[in-house]
Amino acid sequence: MVGFLVNSILLGIGLAMDAFSVSLANGLNNPKMKRTVMMYMAATFAIFQFAMPLIGWVCVHTVAIVFTAFQAFIPYIALVLLAFIGGKMLKEGIHQVRCDKDHASEKAIKEVTFGALMVQGVATSIDALSVGFTIADYSLVKALGACLVIGAVTFVICLVGILIGRKFGTKLSGWASVLGGIILIGIGLEIFISNVFF
C-alpha cells in the first residue's frame, strides 16, 4: 500500500511538471488573479491529469490497437496546441511592452479564457494517456486510486506554480506575458523533441 502511494505520488509529480510550467505562465500573465480563479485553474489541470491516465487504462483494456496507433500523434498535438497558445501570449506580450505603461498593466491582467484553459489542460495532459499502459495491470479500483493521487498532486503543484507566477508577474509587468509565451512554446518543443527523437 505504501509503495503504491509513493509510486502514484512520484508519477503525479512527473506528470504535473508541464502543467506546473503552464500554471507559472498563467500566473505571470495575470498577477492580479483572484483566489477562486487560481483554484479553478489548478482544479482544471488536476481533472485532466486524473482523467487522461484513466482513459489510457480503459483504452488498454478495450481498444489497445487503436490507442497504440494514436500514441504516435500525441507529441505533434501537444506541440501545435502549446505553440498556438504560447505564440498568442508572446504576441500580446510584445504588444504590451510597446504600449505605454498604463495600457500594458491593463492588458497584463487579462484572464485566461475557458477555451484557452481547456486547450492548456489537454496539451499538458495528453501525454499522460500513455500512463494507462504503465498501470494496465491495476484493477479498476486501484487505477482510480492512482489517478486520484495524480490529480491531487497536480492540483497542489499547479497552485504553487500560479502563486510563483503571480509574484514575479507583478515585478515583470509587460514582460511577464512574453516570458509566459516563451515558456509555453518551450514546453511544447520539449514534449515534441523528447517523444519524437528520444
Side-chain angles (χ1 to χ4, degrees):
M1 182 64 183
V2 175
F4 165 76
L5 190 61
V6 170
N7 188 46
S8 298
I9 290 169
L10 291 174
L11 202 54
I13 292 168
L15 289 173
M17 287 303 103
D18 290 337
F20 167 80
S21 300
V22 174
S23 297
L24 186 72
N26 288 341
L28 282 167
N29 195 42
N30 186 1
K32 294 184 180 179
M33 191 185 295
K34 295 175 182 176
R35 285 185 183 180
T36 51
V37 176
M38 287 168 51
M39 300 293 275
Y40 166 72
M41 192 173 284
T44 301
F45 288 118
I47 289 166
F48 274 104
Q49 290 289 8
F50 160 79
M52 288 298 189
L54 196 58
I55 292 168
W57 182 90
V58 170
C59 287
V60 169
H61 289 269
T62 54
V63 285
I65 296 167
V66 176
F67 178 65
T68 306
F70 171 75
Q71 219 178 350
F73 297 103
I74 289 174
Y76 298 93
I77 295 167
L79 176 63
V80 169
L81 293 176
L82 287 172
F84 173 74
I85 300 167
K88 191 177 174 195
M89 196 182 285
L90 190 61
K91 184 182 172 186
E92 287 176 1
I94 291 167
H95 178 71
Q96 287 173 19
V97 171
R98 288 181 178 170
C99 293
D100 61 276
K101 286 184 179 180
D102 291 338
H103 184 63
S105 60
E106 185 185 311
K107 288 280 283 179
I109 60 170
K110 184 180 176 185
E111 293 184 6
V112 176
T113 63
F114 175 78
L117 186 58
M118 291 300 108
V119 171
Q120 289 178 357
V122 171
T124 57
S125 66
I126 196 165
D127 59 334
L129 274 169
S130 58
V131 173
F133 280 129
T134 67
I135 61 170
D137 58 333
Y138 287 4
S139 66
L140 177 59
V141 174
K142 203 172 178 183
L144 272 169
C147 293
L148 280 169
V149 172
I150 290 167
V153 169
T154 301
F155 178 81
V156 173
I157 288 174
C158 289
L159 208 51
V160 170
I162 295 167
L163 288 167
I164 293 169
R166 270 183 57 189
K167 185 172 182 178
F168 288 100
T170 306
K171 295 175 182 176
L172 291 170
S173 187
W175 288 101
S177 191
V178 173
L179 182 59
I182 291 168
I183 288 170
L184 292 186
I185 294 167
I187 296 164
L189 286 169
E190 184 272 326
I191 291 170
F192 179 77
I193 292 166
S194 63
N195 282 281
V196 173
F197 298 105
F198 297 103

